Amino acid sequence: MSEARDTIFAALEAARPAGPDAPPAPMSGPPMPDAPFDVMASRLAQNGGRLVRSTRANWAQEIEWPRARADLEHLYSARRGGDARQSGDLACRGVGLITDDVHALAPLEVCILEAEFSVVENGASWHVPQSPQERAAALLAEHLVVLVAATEIVPSLHEAYARIDLFAGPFGWFLSGPSKTADIEQALVLGAHGPKTMQLVVLDDAHP
Amino acid sequence: MGHVDRAREFVRDEARTRWHDESLWFVRAKRDLAADTVPDWEALRSQAAGIKREALTRLPALWREFEDQAHAAGAVVHWARDADEHNRVVAGLLEERDITRVVKSKSMLTEECGLNPFLEDRGIEIIDTDLGERIVQLRNESPSHIIMPAIHLKRGEIGELFHQEMDSPAGLDDPNELTAIARLDLRERFLAAEAGITGINFAVAETGSFVVVTNEGNADLGTALPRLHIACVGLEKIVPKARDLAPFLRLLARSATGQPISTYTSHFRSPRPAESGAGPAPELHIVVVDNGRSRLLAEPGFQEALACIRCGACLNTCPVYRRSGGHSYGTTIPGPIGSVLEPSRDPSAHAELPHACSLCGSCTDVCPVHVPLHHQLLTWRSHLARQGHHPRRRRWALGLAAVLFAKPALYRGVTRIGRGIARRLPTALLDKFGGAWTRQRELPPIPRRSFREQLADRESATTPRATVERKSR
C-alpha cells in the first residue's frame, strides 16, 4: 500500500505542471435580492420542493400532510431545542421512536428536520444530522419537512461556506427538494429513492 | 470497429438520432437558462478554473494535507496506482469483512476501473443504484452519458427491460410507474446492503472532507444504512479550501442539468457515529486512484483536462455526440472530454476520437472550468499523427498534400491536370474518391479554371477606378 502511495507521489512530484502561482482571490456572490423568499421559492420549485412561509405557532396547520396528522403512524421529528421526541402531536411516533438500527426506520411517513440556514440563490438548506437515525430518517421518509428561521438566510453559497465549519462533525448536507430523477427520457419524477415531497417551512413570527 | 462505424450504426435509425439530438439539446438549453440567472457567471467560471489550475500545480501537498486530515477524522485513505490495484483494494476491504452485498452510487471512476465485473467474479453482488445506471447495468451496457447514463433509451425499452428483469407487467412506458417499480426493488437492496460505494465530486484538502452530489439521494441511502462506506476518487478531484466548494457547486448543477443545485450535496468527513445496540463499528475508507492521471498531468498540452468536474455540458452541446450517441465512442467517458482523456490512456485504440469533432468550439464555450477542449482535440490530432496513429491512406494523402502545398508551381500544375482529368470522368466514379464527403452528397461540377484564375479574370475586368475604391474601403 505504501509502495503505491510512494509511486503516486513520486509521479505527481515529477509532473510539475504549469499553472498560476497563487489561487485567485476569493470572489463574493450576488447581493441579497429584494424579495429573497420569492427567489428561494422559485429556485426550490425548480428542484421539486415547496416553500411555505409561516410562524412557529401555526406552521403545522399550514403545511401539507399526506393524511390527517393524528392518523400518521410513523413520524420522525428532529426539531432543535427541548425534547422534540416528547412534544405533543408532533412528537416521534411509531418507528420514529427507534433509537438503534437505522434500517427499522424504513416505514417512516414523515420526517421533520430543522436546518441551520438556507441559501436564497438555490433554495438549498444546510442541515447537520445529530444522529445516524436523523440522517437515515430524512432519506427513508416518504415526505420531508425542513424548518428554518426566516432570519437564517444567506444570498449564495459563498456566504454559506463562510458559516459552515466542516471540522465540526462527521457529516452535513445541503438539501434542496425531494429525491428525484429524470433518467427515463428526461421526464422529471419525484421520489426516486427517498422523499416524494419536500416542504421548506420558513418560520417568521412577524409573518402575517 | 471504430467511432465512425459505430456512429453509422446509430444514425441508421433517423428518427432515433433526431430524438437523441433533441433530448440533449433540451438539456443544453436548460443550462443556458440557468447560467443566465447568474449575473457573475463568467467571473464564476474564471474563479473555478483558477482554483483548479493552481491546485493541479501542488497535488502532492494537497493530498498530504487531505490524508492527514482524513486520518485525524477517523477515515482510512488507500492509494491505487491503476484500475487493477483500485479493484483489489475495494475487494480486499469487502472480503476482509465477509461482505457480499454492495450498493454503489454513480461513479465514472469505478466504471473506468471495471469494478463491477471484478467484484462479481469474486461472488460479490454489486448493485448500481442511480436509476439510469441500474437500467444500463440490467442491460449489460455501459452508461452512454456521464450524468444521464440511459439517455440513449426510450421509455418503452425500459418498460420491456423491467418486464424481463423485474417481473413488472408488460407494456409499461410511464416514467412515474417505471421509477416506482425500480424504487421498490432498489429500496430492498439498500436495506440489505452491507456496504455502500460512492464516487467523490470534490475532496477538500483543508478539512479532509469530501462532497458527493446526487439528485436521487442514492449515494446517501447507500451510506446512511450500511456500516461500511468506500469512496473512490481520482487524483484530480481535490480543492484546497472548503470555501472553494462555493464556485464549483454554483457551476456544477447549472452546467449539468440547468438546476440551481443538486438535491443532495453531502459533505462526509468521519465514519458515522455508531448506533446503540450490536453490530460492527461504522467505517469510512477513501481510495485515491491514479490510473493515468499523473501521466496526463505531465503532458503540457493536456493537463488542463484534469480540471474537468464531469458536468457533461460538453457532451450535451456537442453536435457529434448528440448525433452519434455515447456508445459510439467506445470509451468510459464519451463526447469531447472523453475524446481528450481517452487517447492518453490508449493512443492506438482511441486515435480516431479527436477526429470525431468539427472543431466548432461549443464545448469550450460551455465548459464551466475553461478546459480548452477543442484546442486539445486539435493538438491530439497532430500528436497522434506524429506517433504514427493515422490510418495509412490518410498518412499518404496528408504527405502528398504537404509536398503540394509547399510548392505553389507544382500545386498549380497538378491541380490543372487533375481538373482536366476529373472533368472527363463520370460523377459516379468521382464520388468514390470523395470518401465520407460524398457518401450522402454529390460533388459539385468541376470548374474548368481554378479559383485563382477566375479571380484574376475578374480583377482585370473591373475598371481601375472601381479597384481603387474597393481597396480604400
Side-chain angles (χ1 to χ4, degrees), chain A residues 17 23 25 34 38 43 49 56 69 77-78 82-83 87-88 103-104 111 116 120 130 147 174-175 186 200:
Chain A
D34 293 335
D38 294 348
R43 300 288 154 83
R56 290 215 174 259
R69 220 183 328 148
S77 181
D83 190 355
S87 60
H103 295 81
C111 172
E116 295 193 358
V120 172
Q130 303 300 301
L147 309 175
F174 286 110
L175 294 170
Q186 289 296 297
L200 175 63

Side-chain angles (χ1 to χ4, degrees), chain A residues 1 3-5 7-9 11-13 15 17-30 43 46-47 99-103 106 121-122 124 126 132-133 135-136 139-140 142 156-158 161 166-167 169-181 183-187 189 191-196, chain B residues 19 27 37 40 44 47 50-51 53-54 56-57 60 64 67 69 77 79-81 85 129-132 148 151 154-155 158 175-176 178-179 183 186-187 190-191 206-207 209 215-216 218 220-221 223-225 235 242-243 245-246 249-250 254 258-261 263-270 273 275-276 294 297 303:
Chain A
M1 187 199 112
E3 193 196 330
R5 185 185 182 281
T7 313
I8 290 171
F9 275 93
L12 290 178
E13 296 284 1
D21 296 333
M27 65 187 283
S28 49
R43 300 288 154 83
Q46 268 184 273
N47 270 354
T99 56
D100 49 6
D101 185 11
V102 290
H103 295 81
E121 191 202 24
N122 54 29
W126 177 252
Q133 288 78 16
R135 175 155 181 252
L139 294 158
L140 291 167
E142 295 242 319
S156 78
L157 285 177
H158 301 285
Y161 281 103
L166 291 182
F167 287 110
F171 181 85
W173 52 358
F174 286 110
L175 294 170
S176 176
S179 159
K180 66 175 188 296
T181 183
D183 273 346
I184 300 177
E185 279 198 29
Q186 289 296 297
V189 180
H193 302 288
K196 297 173 176 171
Chain B
W19 166 79
V27 185
T37 65
D40 52 352
L44 208 50
Q47 176 86 10
I51 292 169
R53 298 278 187 288
E54 196 271 337
L56 289 173
T57 65
R64 275 191 201 103
E67 188 181 37
Q69 288 296 337
V77 181
W79 302 88
R81 283 165 287 195
E85 199 160 48
T129 55
D130 173 83
L131 177 60
M148 298 175 282
I151 189 78
K154 296 210 173 191
R155 55 185 75 191
I158 295 164
N176 277 294
L178 293 171
T179 303
R183 174 188 169 106
L186 287 167
R187 177 61 73 95
F190 279 123
L191 290 169
E206 177 184 32
T207 59
S209 317
N215 275 323
E216 297 184 6
N218 55 318
D220 290 287
L221 266 171
T223 54
L225 300 176
L235 278 175
R243 66 159 187 256
L245 294 169
L249 291 170
R250 290 182 71 201
R254 289 186 171 99
Q259 293 171 244
I261 190 168
T263 303
Y264 298 94
T265 306
S266 301
H267 301 58
F268 297 84
R269 184 160 181 270
S270 311
E275 303 122 89
S276 59
S294 60
L297 191 69
Q303 51 196 219

Side-chain angles (χ1 to χ4, degrees), chain B residues 308-365:
Chain B
C308 173
I309 56 172
R310 303 288 189 274
C311 70
C314 62
L315 281 63
N316 303 340
T317 201
C318 177
V320 177
Y321 175 87
R322 282 188 277 120
R323 291 176 183 81
S324 61
H327 288 149
S328 67
Y329 290 78
T331 53
T332 305
I333 299 181
I337 183 65
S339 301
V340 167
L341 294 173
E342 304 280 354
S344 85
R345 222 178 284 294
D346 187 350
S348 61
H350 304 305
E352 284 304 286
L353 292 185
H355 295 272
C357 164
S358 66
L359 298 178
C360 74
S362 184
C363 47
T364 309
D365 284 345

